[in-house]
């Protein structure tokens, strides 16, 4: 006869409050309604047991036959698992059958929830228990906690992440007050508490242990002492299992559960800083006990055991260790005697990577290579810290020249050069080459005295070594100093000699560098050969896929146009150059482009816009540790004249205000977007003169009056003297054509298309509208623009999806025409963003006339689809058809405001209201809200937010995101932005 369970449940009463995890609790309860076995996994101390007990307690009513806890932590014998479970459920031991069979028969027909806690050291026995009981008892549910999955058919794994930042802070406050009412956490602000919790990896166990120390230490003192975290974080509850009383005990438990090879890999992975790729782990951690082919399987096992975490950065899968796990493994690695060998292999791997990127710089993949180096920045610094071989350190710091000077780390690179050169004074080829790259960094920052001192040493070393390559480079770099000191003849002569010598040596990479420098110098000083030199470089760059060099030579030709007094061509070339710098963090060169664009803008009478551009350039100079003076007295003079003209036109106060507004956009990506958006901002007032579009060499047809009207009375006194002469024109791809003068090329490009346009019909009465045109192909984009403008439509265009989204948010168009394939954000993704924020119809341009492409585009949300190549009449007909489906412009509803419950947000005016009351948000908070509002209900990881809002890729430190999200929540409502397991956030739609 079946016995009746005397008491329905055996859950212990909670002693402390349960903090946070609201979303996880709800999700696990939902899963238990759908799945019969749910396993909570995660590293030790992440709070699996506490969460399982909270879920079980809140689920009592759903299980008529009770909720039962089976604590397996003290069990060491796998054969005792079934008996322990039977004892927990108070199943009478009848002795006739094995415990497992008795338990299965006992639970058959009962609706109960069984919590199997701490299964990781008894995985096989727990898997057998779960499988048998679930087969025998259809109404049974099992909630297991383990650092490793059970591997049972039907198991649903819920990977538990550390606490969200605000939950972590709340837990710290709660536990600190419980320890002592006057704990020092009261003296700390939210930022200090958030920093401490982040340094504790958001682990509940570590936070609770730290809270006990706040009786005697302040939050700041505790944070400073975390380097010795294992000695510091002790003194847990005496009633807790032994392995949960200290941080070390908790990690000891995880370590002992790993197989020997897994422990070995764990130890070796601690050599990485921030994170690492599979390729790096295979190269650095294999050998002496681990074959390279075994690394993938071992790494997968460590991920399954929650020792290693996965993440995404710059589109690549990466792995990382929490700080506590890393420190523990480093202690074991040091004890093993392998640390020096591992650090050497680590250094060698990143040296090989840097050499590979350096050798192939002038070619395709520049942006991707810089992104990879950017995400590996912590590892690069760690490799440079290894002092085992001074020559290799010199080689590495030199091979990273593009990372330092083009990747946005100029000041850090300069610091590393000084440090490494001081630590390795012995003469040799590696020191000579490091000195040459250090010279480039110093020259870019305007420190010509240090640059010349290093040049002297490098030249002497080249002579002593008998190395002609070093001496050629030194001579060419003397040309850079000559250019920056205003000596054109010396500069151009040295560049020509370096170019010829490197060409003779067969070094195509350095020959390309000196050809680019030659084009710069010739353009800067008005040499008539600049256009031809630039055209040769651009042809080579286009053939090789060199985007960075091509952008720089366009800027150089912009200087040439400016020196000849051709303001329009200057603006056209600089805008094209800025477009080409997307993806590069070359602060110094973007700063030069912005300066040049400011001069041309002021010369056209748009002094407020010029002031903003000057402020923007100044912010980039400051962050790069440089200034306009670094590039010669002529540049400084033009800058001063532009500034004086703007102050004279605006007044000192208005100029300073506009200058400061421009300086708020400090990252390279923000700078380019802001500068190009200024050229398309129709609301800048009459002072802006004619409105121009930002894409390569095009002008909007929305300006009032003719070119002559715009020029009349608008010219500033900062224009240059001289005969315009014959300059460089640009074709539809932004390339240089030396056979045609620049002004005639601009007029040709803006002439209306005759063969493929349809004139507006008065009888038909076509509606004039605002069109957003986004296409990465300059020829297609320009052709479509001419067709639409010839019919009277106002067109704003962009070359990539992200800029297209920016233009859309600045001013809602009547219709959007988007290419299917776009850099940054593809056409289908942009279509989704537009439809999320508005009712604007979208015409998608497919790459080919394939029904499958058309269907895919329509399913992605496009209102119509047109295949390339298209006829102009067809394009106009499709646009008009879309316009007929929408209300006229005068009656079109305002689609720019988004509502999320009681929160109302306008991405155009940047106004935010909650319950009808306006809310003041900082610039960073507005940017965060913009990203959330653009993708409501979509999880945005910390890494994505860091890159989009702060303009930099993830480098292992996302604390700033957590702090800013916490502040934003405090203003718009804590429940409005949800924390999603997996280290992300989403806006509740």
């Amino acid at each position: 006869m079946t016995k009746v369970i005397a008491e329905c449940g055996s859950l212990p009463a909670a002693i402390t409050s349960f903090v946070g995890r609201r979303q996880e609790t709800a999700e696990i309860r939902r899963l238990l309604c759908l799945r019969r076995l749910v396993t909570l996994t995660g590293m030790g101390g992440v709070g699996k047991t506490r969460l399982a007990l909270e879920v079980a307690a809140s689920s009592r009513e759903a299980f008529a036959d009770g909720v039962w806890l089976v604590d397996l932590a003290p069990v060491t014998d796998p054969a005792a698992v079934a008996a322990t479970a039977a004892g927990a459920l108070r199943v009478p031991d009848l002795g006739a059958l094995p415990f497992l069979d008795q338990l299965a028969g006992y639970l058959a027909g009962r609706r109960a929830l069984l919590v199997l806690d701490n299964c990781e050291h008894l995985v096989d026995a727990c898997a057998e228990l779960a499988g048998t009981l679930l087969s025998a008892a259809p109404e049974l549910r099992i909630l297991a906690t383990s650092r490793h999955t059970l591997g049972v058919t039907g198991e649903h794994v819920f990977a538990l992440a550390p606490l969200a930042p605000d939950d972590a802070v709340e837990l710290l406050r709660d536990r600190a007050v419980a320890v002592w009412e006057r704990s020092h956490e009261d003296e700390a602000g939210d930022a200090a508490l958030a920093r401490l919790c982040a340094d504790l990896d958001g682990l509940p166990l570590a936070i609770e242990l730290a809270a006990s120390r706040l009786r005697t230490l302040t939050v700041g003192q505790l944070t400073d002492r975390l380097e010795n975290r294992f000695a510091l974080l002790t003194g847990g509850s005496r009633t807790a299992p032994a392995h949960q009383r200290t941080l070390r005990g908790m990690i000891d438990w995880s370590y002992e559960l790993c197989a020997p090879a897994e422990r070995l890999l764990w130890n070796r992975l601690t050599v990485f800083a921030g994170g690492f790729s599979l390729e790096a782990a295979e190269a650095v951690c294999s050998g002496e006990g681990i074959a390279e082919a075994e690394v993938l399987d071992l790494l997968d096992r460590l991920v399954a055991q929650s020792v290693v975490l996965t993440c995404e950065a710059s589109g690549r899968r990466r792995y990382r260790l929490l700080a506590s796990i890393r420190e523990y493994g480093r202690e074991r690695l040091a004890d093993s005697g392998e640390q020096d060998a591992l650090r050497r292999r680590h250094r060698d791997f990143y040296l090989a990577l840097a050499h590979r990127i350096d050798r192939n710089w002038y070619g395709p993949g520049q942006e991707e290579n810089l992104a990879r180096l950017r995400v590996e920045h912590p590892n690069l610094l760690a490799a440079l810290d290894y002092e085992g071989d001074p020559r290799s350190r010199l080689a590495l710091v030199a091979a990273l020249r593009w990372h330092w000077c083009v990747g946005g780390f100029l000041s850090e690179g300069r610091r590393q050069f000084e440090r490494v050169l001081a630590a390795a004074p012995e003469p040799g080829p590696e020191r000579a080459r490091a000195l040459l790259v250090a010279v480039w960094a110093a020259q870019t920052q305007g420190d010509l005295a240090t640059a010349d001192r290093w040049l002297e040493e490098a030249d002497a070393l080249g002579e002593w070594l008998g190395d002609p390559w070093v001496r050629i480079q030194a001579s060419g770099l003397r040309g850079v100093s000559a250019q920056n000191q205003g000596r054109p003849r010396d500069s151009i002569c040295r560049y020509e000699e370096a170019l010829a010598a490197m060409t003779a040596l067969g070094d195509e990479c350095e020959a390309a560098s000196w050809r680019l420098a030659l084009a710069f110098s010739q353009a800067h000083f008005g040499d008539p050969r600049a256009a031809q030199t630039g055209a040769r470089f651009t042809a080579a760059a286009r053939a090789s896929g060199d985007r960075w060099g091509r952008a720089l030579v366009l800027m150089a030709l912009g200087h040439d146009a400016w020196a000849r007094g051709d303001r329009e061509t200057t603006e056209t070339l600089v805008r094209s150059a800025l477009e080409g710098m997307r993806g590069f963090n070359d602060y110094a060169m973007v700063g030069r482009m912005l300066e040049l664009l400011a001069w041309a803008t002021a010369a056209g009478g748009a002094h407020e816009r010029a002031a903003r551009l000057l402020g923007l350039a100044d912010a980039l100079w400051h962050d790069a540790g440089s200034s306009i003076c670094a590039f010669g007295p002529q540049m400084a003079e033009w800058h001063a004249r532009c500034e004086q003209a703007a102050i004279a036109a605006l007044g000192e106060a208005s100029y300073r205000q506009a200058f400061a507004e421009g300086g708020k956009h400090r990252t390279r990506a923000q700078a380019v977007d802001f500068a190009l958006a200024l050229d398309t901002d129709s609301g800048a007032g009459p002072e802006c003169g004619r409105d121009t579009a930002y894409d390569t060499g095009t002008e909007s047809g929305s300006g009032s009056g003719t070119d002559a009207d715009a020029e009349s009375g608008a010219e500033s006194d900062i224009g240059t003297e001289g005969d315009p002469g014959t300059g460089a024109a640009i074709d539809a791809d932004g390339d240089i054509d030396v056979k045609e003068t620049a002004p005639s090329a601009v007029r040709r490009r803006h002439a209306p298309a005759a063969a493929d346009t349809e004139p507006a019909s008065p009888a038909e009465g076509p509606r004039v509208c605002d069109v957003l045109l986004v296409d990465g192909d300059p020829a297609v984009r320009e052709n479509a623009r001419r067709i639409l403008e010839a019919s009277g439509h106002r067109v704003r265009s962009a070359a990539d999806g992200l800029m297209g989204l920016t233009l859309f948010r600045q001013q809602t168009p009547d219709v959007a025409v988007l290419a299917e394939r776009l850099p940054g954000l593809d056409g289908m993704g942009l279509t989704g963003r537009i439809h999320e924020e508005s009712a604007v119809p979208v015409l998608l341009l497919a790459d080919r006339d394939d029904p499958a492409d058309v269907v895919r585009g329509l399913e992605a949300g496009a209102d119509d689809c047109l295949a390339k190549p298209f006829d102009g009449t067809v394009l106009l007909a499709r646009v008009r058809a879309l316009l007929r489906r929408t209300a006229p412009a005068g009656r079109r509803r305002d689609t720019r405001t988004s509502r999320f419950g009681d929160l109302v947000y306008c991405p155009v005016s940047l106004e935010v209201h909650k319950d009808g009351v306006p809310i003041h948000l900082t610039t960073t908070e507005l940017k965060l809200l913009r990203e959330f509002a653009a993708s409501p209900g979509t999880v945005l990881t910390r890494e994505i937010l860091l890159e989009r809002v702060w303009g930099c890729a993830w480098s292992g430190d996302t604390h700033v995101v957590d702090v800013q999200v916490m502040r934003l929540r405090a203003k718009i409502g804590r429940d409005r932005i949800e924390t999603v397991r997996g280290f992300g956030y989403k806006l509740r739609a």
Side-chain angles (χ1 to χ4, degrees):
M1 185 175 68
T2 304
K3 299 286 185 179
V4 178
I5 300 178
E7 298 179 17
C8 289
S10 63
L11 293 182
I15 299 175
T16 58
S17 60
F18 183 75
V19 176
R21 302 283 199 200
R22 288 186 293 272
Q23 182 175 342
E24 290 92 335
T25 302
E27 176 65 12
I28 296 168
R29 292 188 64 184
R30 186 187 70 83
L31 288 173
L32 285 171
C33 295
L34 304 174
R35 302 284 190 270
R36 299 186 59 210
L37 172 61
V38 177
T39 302
L40 306 187
T41 64
M43 69 166 295
V46 79
K48 300 183 294 295
T49 297
R50 190 69 175 86
L51 177 59
L53 292 175
E54 181 68 17
V55 170
S58 62
S59 304
R60 279 192 176 101
E61 294 182 0
F63 297 95
D65 294 302
V67 178
W68 304 88
L69 171 66
V70 181
D71 183 8
L72 297 171
V75 179
T76 57
D77 183 2
V81 168
T84 302
L89 269 72
R90 306 184 187 89
V91 176
D93 182 7
L94 302 179
L97 295 173
F99 273 113
L100 185 55
D101 294 338
Q102 292 184 51
L103 192 56
Y106 196 79
L107 289 171
R110 287 190 167 89
R111 182 170 180 79
L113 172 63
L114 196 62
V115 180
L116 299 179
D117 191 31
N118 292 299
C119 300
E120 54 269 359
H121 60 303
L122 303 163
V123 170
D124 292 338
C126 290
E128 181 185 6
L129 175 67
T132 301
L133 296 183
L134 290 172
S135 297
E139 295 299 313
L140 177 68
R141 296 290 191 272
I142 296 179
L143 178 60
T145 71
S146 176
R147 301 181 197 185
H148 199 291
T149 60
L150 300 186
V152 177
T153 301
E155 177 186 27
H156 186 98
V157 178
F158 187 98
L160 187 60
L163 285 172
D166 50 351
D167 288 344
V169 170
E170 185 179 351
L171 177 64
L172 179 62
R173 288 187 184 279
D174 182 88
R175 298 303 189 257
V177 170
V179 170
W180 191 35
E181 287 190 13
R182 295 173 58 197
S183 64
H184 291 285
E185 64 87 16
D186 291 333
E187 303 169 6
D190 286 344
L193 294 173
R195 179 69 186 180
L196 173 59
C197 291
D199 286 349
L200 294 169
D201 300 315
L203 292 177
L205 175 61
I207 291 171
E208 296 205 17
L209 293 172
S212 67
R213 293 293 187 184
L214 290 177
R215 286 176 294 201
T216 53
L217 297 175
T218 66
V219 171
Q221 289 173 325
L222 186 55
T223 303
D224 293 340
R225 290 171 177 262
L226 283 182
E227 290 185 2
N228 192 19
R229 64 184 62 210
F230 295 121
L232 184 67
L233 301 181
T234 59
S237 172
R238 292 186 176 89
T239 63
H243 66 270
Q244 294 180 6
R245 296 177 190 173
T246 68
L247 185 63
R248 180 180 293 279
M250 180 267 292
I251 302 180
D252 279 337
W253 174 263
S254 294
Y255 194 80
E256 293 302 321
L257 291 174
C258 294
E262 295 167 356
R263 297 177 197 170
L264 185 58
L265 182 60
W266 178 345
N267 298 344
R268 291 178 178 179
L269 290 175
T270 62
V271 76
F272 293 105
F276 55 92
S277 63
L278 174 61
E279 177 191 5
E282 289 174 331
V284 176
C285 299
S286 60
E288 299 182 25
I290 301 178
E292 185 173 335
E294 296 177 317
V295 172
L296 173 58
D297 182 60
L298 291 172
L299 183 60
D300 183 63
R301 284 192 245 163
L302 290 177
V303 170
Q305 295 178 70
S306 308
V307 173
V308 175
L309 304 179
T310 61
C311 57
E312 295 284 338
S314 298
R316 293 172 174 264
R317 172 58 62 88
R318 291 180 63 78
Y319 307 87
R320 65 188 182 101
L321 302 175
L322 293 180
S324 301
I325 296 293
R326 183 186 299 113
E327 290 303 317
Y328 183 91
R330 280 180 179 169
E331 288 185 3
R332 296 296 182 118
L333 182 65
D335 293 342
S336 71
E338 282 192 323
Q339 191 169 33
D340 188 70
L342 258 293
R343 293 197 65 186
R344 184 168 58 253
R345 290 208 295 266
H346 177 272
R347 189 270 324 279
D348 290 344
F349 173 81
Y350 288 104
L351 176 58
L353 173 65
H355 272 314
R356 187 164 63 249
I357 292 174
D358 184 32
R359 286 194 303 268
N360 300 300
W361 172 252
Y362 287 103
Q366 291 173 329
E367 183 178 353
E368 293 78 8
N369 286 332
L370 285 178
R372 182 171 185 187
L373 292 177
R374 192 178 307 127
V375 82
E376 295 288 6
H377 185 70
N379 280 308
L380 299 176
L381 297 184
L384 286 169
D385 282 340
Y386 177 61
E387 301 176 354
D389 181 3
R391 292 183 301 174
S392 294
R393 291 179 75 192
L394 289 166
L396 177 58
V397 76
L400 290 171
R401 56 176 172 164
W402 306 109
H403 177 60
W404 306 131
C405 297
V406 182
F409 295 95
L410 183 60
S411 295
E412 175 63 31
R414 175 72 183 274
R415 188 181 73 84
Q416 291 294 332
F417 279 117
E418 292 175 345
R419 193 169 67 95
V420 173
L421 287 170
E426 296 79 9
E430 293 84 3
R431 180 174 177 83
R433 299 194 177 213
L435 283 166
L436 293 171
V437 183
V439 167
W440 180 24
Q443 288 173 332
T444 304
Q445 290 186 317
D447 187 357
L448 297 185
T450 302
D452 289 344
R453 175 168 55 83
W454 281 339
L455 261 179
E456 291 293 338
E457 183 183 352
D459 199 8
L461 268 177
E463 182 177 5
W464 180 74
L465 293 167
D467 189 336
W469 188 94
V470 172
R471 302 209 67 190
I472 294 167
Q473 289 291 94
S475 178
L477 288 169
R478 292 187 190 280
V480 176
S481 292
Q483 178 178 334
N484 293 347
Q485 292 169 348
R487 295 184 280 115
R489 290 186 180 179
D490 189 13
S491 170
I492 292 173
C493 179
R494 286 185 179 275
Y495 290 159
E496 289 173 336
E497 291 173 355
L499 171 60
M502 283 300 175
T503 302
L505 286 178
D507 191 330
E508 296 180 1
C509 178
E510 296 307 327
S513 292
W514 293 121
R515 181 173 285 110
L516 177 60
L518 179 60
F520 249 96
S521 190
Q522 289 174 337
H524 189 77
F525 295 115
D527 190 310
R529 298 171 295 172
Q532 190 169 10
T533 304
R536 289 176 180 172
F537 183 91
T538 302
R542 187 177 184 184
S544 66
D546 170 19
R547 288 182 54 234
W548 175 78
R550 183 168 174 268
L552 263 61
V553 84
L554 287 173
M555 177 181 67
L557 292 171
H559 271 289
D560 180 57
W562 173 253
R564 291 183 287 100
D566 189 347
R567 179 180 61 82
E568 289 186 355
T569 302
T570 299
E571 290 183 341
T572 296
L573 287 165
V574 176
R575 286 197 301 269
S576 181
L578 284 168
E579 281 288 353
M581 292 302 283
R582 293 188 183 277
F584 300 100
N585 285 335
D586 192 343
Y587 282 59
M589 290 301 105
V590 172
R592 289 191 65 170
M593 294 174 186
L594 294 171
E595 279 281 345
L596 185 54
L597 185 58
W599 306 342
T601 301
H607 295 99
E608 182 177 351
R609 185 164 48 183
R612 293 175 185 169
L613 289 169
L614 289 176
L616 189 57
D618 183 74
L620 296 186
W621 296 126
H622 179 273
D623 289 345
S626 185
S627 71
I628 187 65
C629 299
F631 300 97
Q634 192 176 29
M635 293 278 289
E637 180 184 351
W638 280 333
H639 170 86
R641 293 172 68 181
C642 177
E643 184 175 51
Q644 291 165 6
I647 292 174
L650 301 174
E652 181 78 24
S654 297
Y655 169 79
R656 294 300 172 195
Q657 182 178 356
F659 186 92
E661 180 182 342
K664 294 177 182 177
H665 305 269
R666 301 195 72 88
T667 71
R668 186 273 321 155
Q670 293 171 346
V672 172
D673 289 345
F674 181 73
L676 296 178
L678 280 177
D679 287 329
T680 61
D681 184 4
S682 60
E687 129 106 15
C688 289
R690 186 177 62 250
D691 214 17
T692 54
Y694 75 87
D695 64 312
T696 307
T698 62
E699 297 184 16
S700 171
S702 62
S704 61
T706 64
D707 286 5
D709 294 331
E711 298 289 345
S712 176
E715 291 294 338
S716 166
D717 62 355
I718 70 164
T720 59
E721 299 177 356
D723 180 38
T726 300
I730 57 175
D731 63 18
D733 288 325
D735 291 326
I736 298 97
D737 179 5
V738 296
K739 297 180 180 179
E740 184 176 19
T741 61
S744 63
V746 173
R747 287 193 295 272
R748 168 177 57 80
R749 296 186 64 210
H750 294 295
D756 54 359
T757 60
E758 176 188 8
S761 170
E764 186 180 271
R767 172 181 155 202
V768 175
C769 69
D770 292 314
V771 179
L772 174 62
L773 173 63
V774 188
D775 197 310
D777 186 330
V780 174
R781 187 172 69 247
E782 177 64 12
N783 185 42
R785 170 189 284 278
R786 290 200 300 262
I787 293 169
L788 294 166
E789 287 183 345
S791 292
H793 298 307
R794 294 178 292 272
V795 181
R796 293 180 301 143
S797 64
D800 66 82
L802 292 176
M803 191 59 199
L805 182 61
T806 300
L807 292 180
F808 166 77
R809 289 172 173 170
Q810 288 173 350
Q811 180 179 336
T812 305
D814 295 278
V815 66
V817 180
L818 316 176
E820 179 183 12
R821 296 180 183 271
L822 292 170
L825 177 66
D826 65 21
M828 295 184 187
L830 181 54
T831 297
R833 292 287 188 93
I834 288 175
H835 280 173
E836 286 173 0
E837 300 181 21
S838 73
V840 171
V842 174
L843 173 60
L844 198 65
L845 303 179
D847 288 334
R848 53 182 180 170
D849 191 8
D850 187 331
D853 287 352
V854 174
V855 170
R856 187 168 63 251
L858 294 174
E859 288 181 344
D863 298 274
D864 196 0
C865 205
L866 179 62
K868 299 178 183 179
F870 50 80
D871 184 83
T873 57
V874 175
L875 174 64
L876 284 173
R878 296 290 184 93
V879 169
R880 287 172 180 167
L882 290 176
L883 290 171
R884 284 195 295 271
R885 301 177 198 171
T886 61
R891 299 199 304 269
R892 189 178 71 231
R893 67 182 181 89
D894 187 358
T895 61
R896 296 171 293 180
T897 298
S898 301
R899 178 178 292 275
F900 307 98
D902 58 358
L903 186 71
V904 178
Y905 166 64
C906 178
V908 178
S909 66
L910 301 181
E911 294 179 352
V912 183
H913 291 77
K914 188 175 189 301
D915 291 327
V917 179
I919 300 174
H920 173 72
L921 299 182
T922 65
T923 301
T924 300
E925 290 164 355
L926 278 170
K927 292 174 184 176
L928 274 172
L929 182 58
R930 175 196 65 195
E931 295 302 327
F932 285 124
S935 305
T938 300
V939 178
L940 299 178
T941 66
R942 291 177 173 85
E943 293 76 27
I944 288 175
L945 290 171
L946 186 65
E947 187 161 4
R948 289 183 182 177
V949 176
W950 284 269
C952 55
W954 178 65
S955 61
D957 186 358
T958 56
H959 302 154
V960 64
V961 178
D962 299 330
V963 172
Q964 291 296 338
V965 168
M966 181 172 61
R967 291 174 177 170
L968 178 60
R969 276 174 162 168
K971 293 183 179 181
I972 69 172
R974 287 176 55 85
D975 295 334
R976 185 57 52 201
I977 298 177
E978 298 181 10
T979 302
V980 180
R981 64 183 182 90
F983 313 98
Y985 301 97
K986 71 176 180 181
L987 181 68
R988 185 172 293 171

